[in-house]
Amino acid sequence: MQVVQLSQYGDEEVLEVVDQATPEPVPGRVRVRVTARSVNPADLSGRAGAFAAFTPGLTFPAVLGWDFAGTLLDDAPAVPEVAPDGVLAAGTRVAGFVPWFGEAAGAGTYAEVIVVDPAWVAPVPDGVTDAEAAVLGMNGPTGAAAVDLLASHTGDLDGVTVLVTGASGAVGAAAVRYAVRRGARVLAVGSVDDDAFVSGLGAEVLPRTDAAGIAAAARAVDPDGVDGVVNAGLASHELLDAVRDGGGFVSAAGVFVPEPARGVGLDAVFVEPDPSRLASVLRDAADGTVPARVAEELPLADAADAHRRLAKGGLRGKLVLVS
Ligand SMILES: NC(=O)c1ccc[n+]([C@@H]2O[C@H](COP(=O)([O-])OP(=O)(O)OC[C@H]3O[C@@H](n4cnc5c(N)ncnc54)[C@H](OP(=O)(O)O)[C@@H]3O)[C@@H](O)[C@H]2O)c1
């Protein structure tokens, strides 16, 4: 099978395409023939070594990649919320994500066949393509978890005002949709020239500027400050100025959380595999509640190119590596 691996941290040049034996069945684990994996900001950070402290067991050569979609090669036990009869049969289309490049650190999704914990997968409903499911495997649950976390600080979101940054991205767009569904008034900042997409999510679009400018724009709409922020776009303490005293601020962007101030509840999302939540996000994608934006599908072997394009910016949606 084809695998994209790296033998050291570094720039795109460290990604090399190699052939490896297809994994044999592993007790307690399931194999997935991966057809799609999205290229995420975390892939670029991981390649450069930014997560070395989180992956102490990682040995080289290592394989990057978090999200995946594909087909089960083995029967997978599943919780009832995911499969009422307790099993996802071999051949089922599934999606998921591999945390920190796998429990055996170094085994991410840039491979044609991966071996995963069955608790990391959920079925992909009809109407959602593998590429779309791969966009949501990690990012959809992150956006949903961020909104849940925000509600733990603000209380019921019905009628409250929420600011979402990074709303053009997979995490931010999901957060907007879940906050809107819970009755929040959502202000959102996305990419330049992407207002139609962001307003289509049900948000009021604020201009894309720096954190101080975004906070000022939010205060212009809501002079007391918004009740809460889901930050999926930028790391800046000034964004906290958007929030009213005693509100909430949840960050998904890196490990950034502002300094405590004015009684605002602060939190960071660290997404964990949760098949029930993922199954629910994928159903929401099938009925159009949550968008899954695919910029382009590229062959797995073009991973280095995809990294360069993501680093350059300007994409609308995810690049998805297919095999
Ligand atoms: N903590 C976790 O568990 C977890 C899980 C998944 C993802 N994440 C993180 O969440 C963040 C979003 O992920 P993603 O996959 O949604 O990324 P993405 O698809 O690349 O989207 C990020 C979006 O944020 C926009 N953006 C960048 N700077 C902004 C700013 N100053 N104001 C408003 N929007 C801005 C980008 O626009 P441009 O393209 O115009 O720059 C882009 O549309 C990333 O930092 C990612 O690493 C965290």
Side-chain angles (χ1 to χ4, degrees), residues 88-110:
L88 292 171
T92 304
R93 278 202 316 138
V94 292
F97 83 93
V98 171
W100 304 114
F101 320 134
E103 55 193 326
T109 62
Y110 286 17

Side-chain angles (χ1 to χ4, degrees), residues 41 139 142 166 168-171 189-191 208 232-234 252-253 269-271 318:
N139 299 306
T142 303
S168 293
V171 174
V189 188
S191 302
R208 169 74 176 268
L234 65 168
V269 180
F270 288 99
V271 69
K318 298 282 185 199

Side-chain angles (χ1 to χ4, degrees), residues 227-250:
D227 297 290
V229 168
V230 171
N231 173 40
L234 65 168
S236 172
H237 295 273
E238 286 160 314
L239 198 56
L240 195 65
D241 295 341
V243 187
R244 67 165 167 79
D245 294 359
F249 186 108
V250 173

Side-chain angles (χ1 to χ4, degrees), residues 214-312:
I214 294 169
R219 287 268 176 180
V221 174
D222 194 340
D224 293 335
V226 298
D227 297 290
V229 168
V230 171
N231 173 40
L234 65 168
S236 172
H237 295 273
E238 286 160 314
L239 198 56
L240 195 65
D241 295 341
V243 187
R244 67 165 167 79
D245 294 359
F249 186 108
V250 173
S251 195
V255 289
F256 164 77
V257 175
E259 297 298 321
R262 300 181 290 107
V264 176
L266 302 171
D267 245 315
V269 180
F270 288 99
V271 69
E272 299 282 348
D274 178 344
S276 302
R277 191 195 286 279
L278 176 58
S280 153
V281 167
L282 290 167
R283 284 193 297 271
D284 291 338
D287 75 12
T289 302
V290 173
R293 241 178 159 184
V294 176
E296 194 178 323
E297 298 181 21
L298 303 170
L300 174 60
D302 291 355
D305 215 29
H307 278 219
R308 276 184 214 102
R309 288 179 58 185
L310 177 57
K312 198 169 157 202

Side-chain angles (χ1 to χ4, degrees), residues 79-222:
V79 294
E81 295 83 0
V82 168
D85 58 358
V87 65
L88 292 171
T92 304
R93 278 202 316 138
V94 292
F97 83 93
V98 171
W100 304 114
F101 320 134
E103 55 193 326
T109 62
Y110 286 17
E112 282 184 291
V113 177
I114 59 175
V115 178
V116 300
D117 188 321
W120 295 350
V121 304
V124 179
D126 291 345
V128 178
T129 67
D130 287 5
E132 290 168 337
V135 168
L136 293 172
M138 172 174 68
N139 299 306
T142 303
V147 171
D148 284 353
L149 213 45
L150 185 66
S152 73
H153 292 285
T154 61
D156 187 0
L157 291 181
D158 194 12
V160 311
T161 304
V162 173
L163 167 66
V164 178
T165 64
S168 293
V171 174
V176 170
R177 294 297 299 146
Y178 283 118
V180 166
R181 191 162 82 173
R182 289 168 72 154
R185 176 186 188 186
V186 179
L187 315 178
V189 188
S191 302
V192 172
D193 293 333
D194 201 30
D195 291 5
F197 173 77
V198 176
S199 64
L201 299 170
E204 296 164 48
V205 183
L206 299 185
R208 169 74 176 268
T209 166
D210 60 7
I214 294 169
R219 287 268 176 180
V221 174
D222 194 340

